[in-house]
């Protein structure tokens, strides 16, 4: 089996001849078709994040098909096309017990605490391999995990009828997906990004670019940058909510005069809550309500994976990697 492995910051290559993962009780073995890259993966590649060990396998946004099942899993699942939910909450800690599994303190996160999905074969717990309905393409499916992040952020924003002006800061893939969800809800969405080509893509997908002085009742911060965080707060209207999705390596300067005088609410939005956010997201894609594949950018082959990682920070649209698929002997 082959995996794309990070050996040091900026150093990545295909490792061949690795043993196929063991499909334990309650698990399914998945042949991976495609993996999307996100800012978290790029943080490890750049060295801003440190993996638990090296070599390390990145990637947590993946679609594939089930090629084997462990004990306690129905053999009829073999052959299912699936999308993987790559965060496994423990179910026992305080946040899990209080219905906030996204905040689990013992969470297993693929590519962060456990090896990721940029491998030809991966074993995951059966309940985190979601069957894809007919008609959901690999292109759409590879975007379902970050779309679940976007849909959970919009859910937590509690959008109301009077929220007639919504701003998305950042036109990377996460910002584009938030804008796509809001577009599907029939909302007017303004996007800002200093990267002109990214902003052009956002406008092509139906967003507006910002007039300089408008204030917004809801602001989504997706860039993770210190400047993005500051501009999100400055752009919020009195009584506004700022939903923070992006994380970065620099703290955000918070002008507490703006916070207090405008009566702002800041909401941190951490991934999605298992299992309902993934279920809702898959249904929205299968129903043709949301079209996440519109945010895809360039696809790279598995062998060219290092180039995918080095070009992604400046790329327009989500960079993704296609695998050929393996056949079990
Ligand atoms: Zn991600
Ligand atoms: Zn937990």
């Amino acid at each position: 089996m082959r995996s794309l492995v990070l050996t040091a910051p900026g150093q990545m290559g295909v490792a061949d001849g690795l043993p196929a993962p063991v499909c334990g009780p309650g698990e399914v073995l998945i042949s991976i078709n495609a993996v999307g890259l996100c800012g978290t993966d790029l943080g490890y590649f750049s060295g801003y994040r440190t993996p638990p060990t090296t070599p390390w396998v990145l990637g947590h946004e993946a679609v594939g098909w089930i090629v084997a099942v462990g004990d306690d899993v129905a053999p009829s699942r073999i052959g299912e096309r699936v999308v993987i939910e790559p965060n496994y909450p423990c179910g026992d800690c305080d946040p899990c017990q209080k219905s906030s599994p996204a905040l689990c303190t013992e969470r297993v996160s693929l590519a962060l605490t456990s090896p990721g999905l940029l491998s030809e074969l991966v074993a995951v717990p059966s309940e985190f391999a979601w069957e894809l309905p007919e008609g959901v393409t690999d292109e759409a499916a590879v975007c379902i995990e970050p779309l679940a992040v976007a849909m959970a952020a919009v859910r937590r924003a509690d959008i109301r009828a009077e929220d007639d002006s919504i701003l998305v800061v950042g036109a990377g893939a996460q910002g584009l997906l938030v804008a796509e969800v809001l577009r599907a809800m029939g909302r007017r969405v303004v996007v800002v990004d200093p990267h002109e080509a990214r902003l052009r893509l956002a406008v092509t997908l139906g967003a507006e670019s910002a007039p300089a002085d408008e204030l917004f009742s809801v602001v989504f911060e997706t860039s993770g940058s210190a400047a993005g965080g500051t501009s999100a707060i400055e752009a919020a209207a009195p009584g506004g909510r700022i939903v923070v999705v992006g994380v970065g390596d620099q703290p955000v300067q918070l002008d507490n005069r703006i916070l207090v005088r405008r009566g702002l609410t800041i909401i941190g939005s951490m991934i999605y809550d298992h299992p309902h956010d993934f279920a809702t997201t898959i249904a929205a894609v299968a129903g043709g309500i949301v079209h996440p594949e519109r945010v895809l950018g360039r696809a790279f082959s598995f062998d060219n994976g290092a180039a995918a990682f080095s070009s992604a920070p400046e790329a327009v649209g989500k960079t993704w990697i296609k695998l050929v698929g393996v056949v079990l002997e």
Side-chain angles (χ1 to χ4, degrees):
M1 183 195 76
R2 302 191 309 155
S3 293
L4 192 61
V5 297
L6 180 75
T7 49
Q11 302 290 317
M12 180 172 279
V14 174
D16 206 345
L18 302 171
V22 176
C23 188
E27 292 187 330
V28 295
L29 188 67
I30 298 170
S31 170
I32 298 289
N33 288 2
V35 180
L37 302 190
C38 102
T40 310
D41 298 305
L42 302 180
Y44 288 103
F45 187 72
S46 71
Y48 143 58
R49 290 172 181 261
T50 306
T53 181
T54 49
W56 188 246
V57 180
L58 297 171
H60 57 267
E61 306 171 354
V63 55
W65 52 286
I66 295 177
V67 292
V69 297
D71 291 346
D72 311 331
V73 179
S76 59
R77 291 210 67 184
I78 294 172
E80 268 181 24
R81 266 178 79 243
V82 292
V83 61
I84 296 160
E85 181 176 358
N87 291 284
Y88 316 152
C90 75
D92 290 326
C93 71
D94 207 40
C96 281
Q97 289 292 318
K98 289 177 176 161
S99 305
S100 297
L103 306 179
C104 176
T105 55
E106 306 296 325
R107 182 178 55 248
V108 172
S109 292
L110 301 187
L112 281 78
T113 64
S114 263
L117 300 172
L118 276 164
S119 286
E120 289 175 326
L121 291 167
V122 299
V124 308
S126 175
E127 74 166 297
F128 293 90
W130 291 80
E131 183 175 16
L132 287 165
E134 281 290 313
V136 178
T137 62
D138 276 0
E139 284 79 0
V142 80
C143 298
I144 282 176
E145 196 272 347
L147 179 64
V149 173
M151 288 189 64
V154 171
R155 172 175 65 76
R156 291 164 181 150
D158 189 22
I159 307 278
R160 302 157 200 164
E162 63 269 26
D163 293 323
D164 49 7
S165 61
I166 303 178
L167 175 69
V168 176
V169 177
Q174 199 61 63
L176 295 175
L177 287 168
V178 170
E180 167 63 12
V181 173
L182 294 165
R183 181 205 61 76
M185 293 167 69
R187 296 301 176 138
R188 171 177 173 257
V189 187
V190 173
V191 175
V192 289
D193 195 308
H195 191 304
E196 269 184 41
R198 286 183 177 168
L199 187 57
R200 269 202 303 280
L201 176 58
V203 171
T204 304
L205 298 183
E208 297 174 23
S209 63
D213 52 354
E214 187 174 354
L215 296 181
F216 299 86
S217 55
V218 181
V219 180
F220 291 89
E221 203 309 283
T222 71
S223 76
S225 70
T230 300
S231 61
I233 293 161
E234 287 173 350
R241 281 109 65 211
I242 300 143
V243 182
V244 182
V245 183
V247 291
D249 54 357
Q250 294 297 320
V252 175
Q253 288 272 4
L254 175 68
D255 186 339
N256 55 7
R257 292 166 299 187
I258 296 179
L259 182 71
V260 171
R261 289 173 187 159
R262 293 191 198 162
L264 303 179
T265 303
I266 300 177
I267 302 163
S269 188
M270 179 67 181
I271 56 170
Y272 32 76
D273 287 303
H274 178 76
H276 55 83
D277 280 324
F278 244 71
T280 308
T281 302
I282 292 169
V285 174
I289 297 162
V290 187
H291 298 278
E293 69 280 5
R294 301 171 84 209
V295 314
L296 280 180
R298 186 171 165 198
F300 288 75
S301 71
F302 194 60
D303 292 307
N304 214 9
F309 275 81
S310 46
S311 67
E314 286 303 313
V316 176
K318 176 175 284 295
T319 299
W320 56 301
I321 294 176
K322 282 184 176 177
L323 285 80
V324 180
V326 292
V327 177
L328 284 187
E329 287 111 46

